[in-house]
Amino acid sequence: MDQITARPMHQRAAAVAFIAYAAYRIIRWTYRRLLTLACMSPIPYGARAAAPLIVSYSLEGDAYFRADGCSQEVAARRKAGADKLSKRFDALTGPRGKALNETLISGLSDIRFTDTNRVPVQFQAETRKRYQVAAVTSSSKGCVLIDVDGGQSIDVSGSYGVNVCGYDQYKQFVERGWARVKELGPNVLGPVHPIISDVLPKLKTISNKEEVSFHMSGTEAVMCAIRLCRFNTRRKLIVQFAGAYHGADSASRRRRRFRAGWWDGVQPGPGSERANSDVLYLKDMHPTALKCIAARSDEIACVCVSPLQGLNPGSPPPSDLVLLDAKVRKTAEKGNAYKKWLHTLQQVCQKNDVPLLFDEVYTGFRMAPGGAQEYYGVNADVVVYGKTLGGGLANGVVCGPSRLMKRFDETRPLRVAYVIGTFSAAPLTLACMAEFLDWVSRPETQQKYALATSRTDAWVHSVNKVLAEESLPMRVDNLTTVWTVLFTQPGRYHWMFQYYLRAEGLSLSWVGTGRCLFSLDFSEEDYEKVKQALLRAARQMKQDGWWDGDASASDISKIIGKEMAWQMVAQRLAR
């Protein structure tokens, strides 16, 4: 009888325990999701939701010049200024450049893409007619680029971050590197050239990591780093912060196959249609983000940081697409504030056993000889390098601890993380890398970094002083030798400034990244030339009326909203 009465008691106890456990799981899940919602960046999610709905349309004729609701008088000034600028652009490119540019436009898909994304969609058709941007360059001398017709321009693009020490220096790296490996040849792959003994120890010392993996590009290296973090932690979720660019994404654990793309998953904002259930976008420098990382640590494979966000943390760079929102841009306090944030983030990651990954493809050897780790005094778990490290050749490098660099599972022989590449650690690439590492480790190089940073700081102060005195609605800001233009009033035509800069002889990136660069070979005279070119461009743009619209940021947003809504309705009715 006692056994009979005891059984229901055991069953009730088991039921209570099950209910308590289920309640705990529900409360825990809810708490995590509430934390996530409190610090999640809406940018990539909103962009993905809007992408299938927003349709293309063009503002032409009078509408092209009055998109912010300006007066007819201002529109007439803008048109006259645009006509003059168009003639200046036509004179910038000689006959050989124009012919080659036509060849590129008609056959190179990369150019077709960049030409489309240089300007907000509403203005693309008319702008393309007026300003042909050619970039067929045949030689360089110092910081000056020379096109096929002999035209010269000062390069402030920095080749998207590659050019740290100056193009002439890279030419020497390649020449000396080739001399060191030419007996073997550039494409004897598989065997490792002994020059790796000059590269590997220096990379381990600079990165303060145990192991190194070589790759063919910074994008590929980011793919590798994220894939290895997922593989070795057995977690699928990666965290990145709003506004950061990381070049690529890696495998989905559900499918067990390699998936990658410049925009897929990791790349936030317009353009990425990939499902992002394994990528979590959090607000930068947000205290709740730290709580979220701690609470969801058992799901997170790594926290991926772009240290360049110290320039404008939490916000995308002011690229052409971002300027579509026509809001006033503000740079959050950088320097010490961002450094403190990174140190706190590192502590949270260490405490909760979450790998911290520094994507230094851009900042490595740009911010300091030891990259952002040295600049901010933060030792990340994994660091990715690229761009300038190759000494003039394409490359990518991942440095990390042995526990996160494993590509196989000792206990499960069929668990393997395939990360391979035919030209990884190619002899010529390693030779040029060795030359660069030798250069960057010299004491006099440290002095060059310090001088370039101080010159850039002084340049920014000098430019901003004139901009304020002349009531020009912009300012410049910098982080070491990286600088950017920020606008101090709302406007729908900020993207036009890049064309005025080009007309003044400054060479910019093909796609507006919102960031410009000074290489270490810029002299004080070169800085002054860039300053005067920027000021002339700003004065002319103001004179031509592009900042004379009376609309506020909210007014401009409403105008754009009405345009898009009308176009969606009109195009549906036309079907």
Side-chain angles (χ1 to χ4, degrees):
M1 187 70 178
D2 291 338
Q3 293 179 352
I4 295 174
T5 56
R7 288 171 62 187
M9 291 178 63
H10 288 312
Q11 291 175 353
R12 285 197 295 271
V16 169
F18 175 79
I19 292 171
Y21 177 73
Y24 163 74
R25 295 283 295 184
I26 292 171
I27 293 171
R28 180 169 173 262
W29 184 91
T30 304
Y31 172 70
R32 289 183 172 194
R33 276 14 184 215
L34 288 174
L35 272 179
T36 303
L37 287 172
C39 60
M40 192 168 65
S41 170
I43 296 173
Y45 304 99
R48 283 195 177 96
L53 303 176
I54 296 175
V55 298
S56 295
Y57 64 97
S58 295
L59 296 175
E60 299 178 0
D62 189 57
Y64 179 86
F65 299 101
R66 299 194 66 193
D68 56 357
C70 70
S71 66
Q72 286 287 359
E73 184 272 331
V74 170
R77 283 170 55 203
R78 290 175 178 175
K79 185 178 185 306
D83 291 341
K84 291 179 183 177
L85 186 61
S86 180
K87 292 178 181 178
R88 292 179 67 188
F89 252 80
D90 188 60
L92 285 175
T93 308
R96 289 187 64 197
K98 289 176 181 176
L100 287 169
N101 199 41
E102 287 298 321
T103 302
L104 293 177
I105 292 173
S106 63
L108 186 59
S109 61
D110 298 349
I111 299 300
R112 196 149 51 91
F113 171 73
T114 56
D115 191 47
T116 299
N117 282 270
R118 188 179 292 120
V119 175
V121 62
Q122 304 95 326
F123 302 97
Q124 287 176 8
E126 182 70 18
T127 302
R128 199 176 294 117
K129 293 176 187 176
R130 289 179 171 274
Y131 318 113
Q132 288 294 317
V133 179
V136 184
T137 304
S138 58
S139 62
S140 65
K141 186 177 181 180
C143 61
V144 174
L145 300 182
I146 304 166
D147 66 30
V148 292
D149 294 290
Q152 298 186 6
S153 59
I154 299 176
D155 178 53
V156 292
S157 73
S159 292
Y160 297 96
V162 174
N163 185 20
V164 171
C165 42
Y167 294 125
D168 291 343
Q169 186 70 66
Y170 293 101
K171 294 175 187 176
Q172 295 176 30
F173 292 155
V174 174
E175 288 177 5
R176 292 199 297 265
W178 173 238
R180 296 176 70 173
V181 299
K182 65 181 180 180
E183 294 303 320
L184 178 64
N187 60 343
V188 178
L189 307 173
V192 180
H193 193 281
I195 202 169
I196 198 168
S197 63
D198 291 343
V199 173
L200 193 57
K202 289 179 180 177
L203 282 175
K204 291 171 66 176
T205 300
I206 288 171
S207 64
N208 193 30
K209 304 295 178 283
E210 296 173 320
E211 295 185 13
V212 176
S213 177
F214 294 98
H215 303 279
M216 292 178 285
S217 70
T219 295
E220 185 182 284
V222 173
M223 295 178 192
C224 168
I226 292 175
R227 184 173 180 85
L228 291 181
C229 284
R230 280 175 167 156
F231 178 80
N232 288 297
T233 62
R234 293 176 178 265
R235 306 167 192 162
K236 73 173 183 178
L237 191 64
I238 65 169
V239 170
Q240 73 173 83
F241 296 100
Y245 175 78
H246 294 294
D249 183 29
S250 62
S252 165
R253 288 187 63 197
R254 293 189 300 274
R255 300 196 178 193
R256 295 288 185 199
R257 66 186 180 90
F258 194 77
R259 291 176 58 184
W262 290 265
W263 295 80
D264 286 355
V266 172
Q267 177 57 35
S272 180
E273 296 183 349
R274 177 186 181 277
N276 57 352
S277 58
D278 53 4
V279 182
L280 186 61
Y281 306 98
L282 302 183
K283 297 175 182 177
D284 216 343
M285 296 185 71
H286 197 290
T288 308
L290 301 174
K291 296 179 181 178
C292 179
I293 291 169
R296 302 187 65 174
S297 60
D298 60 339
E299 303 174 69
I300 299 172
C302 67
V303 174
C304 193
V305 171
S306 172
L308 193 62
Q309 284 300 98
L311 183 60
N312 48 335
S315 301
S319 65
D320 304 323
L321 283 176
V322 174
L323 289 176
L324 182 64
D325 63 14
K327 294 178 180 177
V328 179
R329 300 194 51 77
K330 296 179 180 178
T331 297
E333 180 186 1
K334 61 181 190 300
N336 291 333
Y338 193 70
K339 180 179 180 179
K340 183 179 179 181
W341 157 257
L342 288 179
H343 278 265
T344 306
L345 176 64
Q346 181 188 29
Q347 292 168 9
V348 171
C349 288
Q350 286 179 341
K351 183 178 179 181
N352 293 278
D353 192 28
V354 174
L356 177 62
L357 191 160
F358 265 24
D359 177 356
E360 293 218 49
V361 171
Y362 196 103
T363 59
F365 310 100
R366 160 66 61 179
M367 299 178 73
Q373 286 194 120
E374 175 187 331
Y375 184 81
Y376 290 116
V378 174
N379 185 36
D381 294 289
V382 180
V383 61
V384 180
Y385 299 120
K387 295 188 183 294
T388 194
L389 174 60
L393 298 185
N395 77 107
V397 170
V398 181
C399 304
S402 298
R403 64 184 176 84
L404 292 174
M405 297 293 281
K406 292 188 301 181
R407 304 183 191 182
F408 61 93
D409 189 334
E410 295 95 333
T411 63
R412 299 288 186 273
L414 296 183
R415 279 198 77 233
V416 179
Y418 283 102
V419 179
I420 53 179
T422 302
F423 276 87
S424 298
L428 182 56
T429 303
L430 287 183
C432 296
M433 193 178 293
E435 291 294 326
F436 175 84
L437 288 170
D438 177 65
W439 171 86
V440 82
S441 61
R442 298 172 189 167
E444 58 266 31
T445 301
Q446 291 271 5
Q447 298 171 7
K448 289 182 179 180
Y449 272 89
L451 178 61
T453 298
S454 64
R455 279 179 173 174
T456 306
D457 289 341
W459 180 86
V460 165
H461 177 77
S462 174
V463 171
N464 282 336
K465 185 173 182 293
V466 179
L467 291 173
E469 289 172 350
E470 299 187 17
S471 299
L472 294 166
M474 65 171 67
R475 62 186 177 90
V476 292
D477 201 0
N478 74 297
L479 186 63
T480 65
T481 54
V482 184
W483 59 280
T484 190
V485 174
L486 301 167
F487 299 96
T488 59
Q489 72 176 43
R492 202 167 175 189
Y493 294 96
H494 294 329
W495 53 268
M496 274 291 295
F497 191 54
Q498 65 175 307
Y499 290 94
Y500 281 89
L501 289 174
R502 291 173 189 271
E504 293 297 338
L506 297 185
S507 181
L508 306 174
S509 304
W510 277 65
V511 179
T513 64
R515 298 181 180 119
C516 297
L517 306 169
F518 289 124
S519 50
L520 301 189
D521 62 338
F522 266 68
S523 65
E524 290 188 358
E525 182 183 358
D526 296 326
Y527 274 89
E528 183 63 22
K529 287 179 180 178
V530 175
K531 172 185 173 181
Q532 296 305 325
L534 186 147
L535 292 174
R536 288 195 302 270
R539 291 165 184 149
Q540 191 61 54
M541 187 160 169
K542 181 179 181 180
Q543 182 177 323
D544 291 343
W546 298 105
W547 290 317
D548 285 350
D550 296 326
S552 64
S554 59
D555 291 337
I556 292 173
S557 297
K558 290 176 183 176
I559 291 171
I560 295 175
K562 288 178 181 178
E563 283 177 7
M564 291 181 173
W566 166 247
Q567 290 295 330
M568 284 190 287
V569 172
Q571 291 189 27
R572 283 187 175 275
L573 292 175
R575 290 177 183 174

